[in-house]
Amino acid sequence: MRTIYVEGGSLHKRKLAENAAIFAYNQLIPKIKNCSIDIFLNNLDNCFEIEDREYEININNKQNGDDFLTAIFHEIVHVKQYIRKQYKNDEGLNYLDKPSEKEAYKLQEELLEKWKRY
């Protein structure tokens, strides 16, 4: 069963984060049903695989509008990468040169456009 739990921030931001995460998840990996994602609205932007199909995402709660949405979409792309075993740390590369980050930045913008049409 897929679960997405959001903690922190205002009720409006929690609901927006939940809806955006569900939207991105359904766009990227709709057939994967067994997954748990905890999203914390705090002062970070990152994603961690806790265990197989269990993830923790942190989103900077000070972001608004498109920045808030693309941060969520970006981190859900990393969830997809973890699930499909596509995520690589690539420690020797600069952050923006990492293939996983390039894909996440590309797809976050595509997801934002789809979200706006949705």
Side-chain angles (χ1 to χ4, degrees):
M1 180 169 87
R2 179 182 70 214
T3 61
I4 295 177
Y5 171 77
V6 182
E7 181 178 303
S10 66
L11 176 61
H12 170 75
K13 273 205 166 168
R14 284 193 305 273
K15 204 65 178 152
L16 179 60
E18 179 183 18
N19 289 336
I22 291 168
F23 174 82
Y25 192 99
N26 287 337
Q27 293 291 312
L28 296 170
I29 39 180
K31 294 181 180 179
I32 304 297
K33 303 298 180 203
N34 184 22
C35 183
S36 174
I37 303 171
D38 291 330
I39 300 173
F40 299 96
L41 304 181
N42 50 38
N43 61 350
L44 303 168
D45 283 315
N46 54 36
C47 176
F48 299 100
E49 183 174 46
I50 306 301
E51 291 184 21
D52 188 42
R53 303 263 174 108
E54 186 178 327
Y55 306 92
E56 178 180 309
I57 292 175
N58 293 287
I59 299 294
N60 187 336
N61 192 40
K62 293 180 181 173
Q63 298 175 105
N64 291 302
D66 290 355
D67 291 338
F68 184 74
L69 290 168
T70 56
I72 294 165
F73 297 154
H74 183 103
E75 302 308 338
I76 296 294
V77 171
H78 290 318
V79 169
K80 176 205 68 101
Q81 293 167 342
Y82 280 123
I83 287 173
R84 293 190 177 161
K85 309 292 187 221
Q86 298 168 331
Y87 186 86
K88 294 185 174 102
N89 194 0
D90 297 323
E91 286 190 28
L93 297 175
N94 291 325
Y95 175 77
L96 292 175
D97 292 332
K98 296 178 180 184
S100 59
E101 294 304 329
K102 286 181 178 183
E103 180 187 36
Y105 278 107
K106 177 181 179 276
L107 291 179
Q108 78 182 28
E109 298 303 323
E110 291 176 14
L111 288 166
L112 181 62
E113 290 306 313
K114 287 180 182 180
W115 172 269
K116 288 180 177 181
R117 287 192 303 267
Y118 172 75

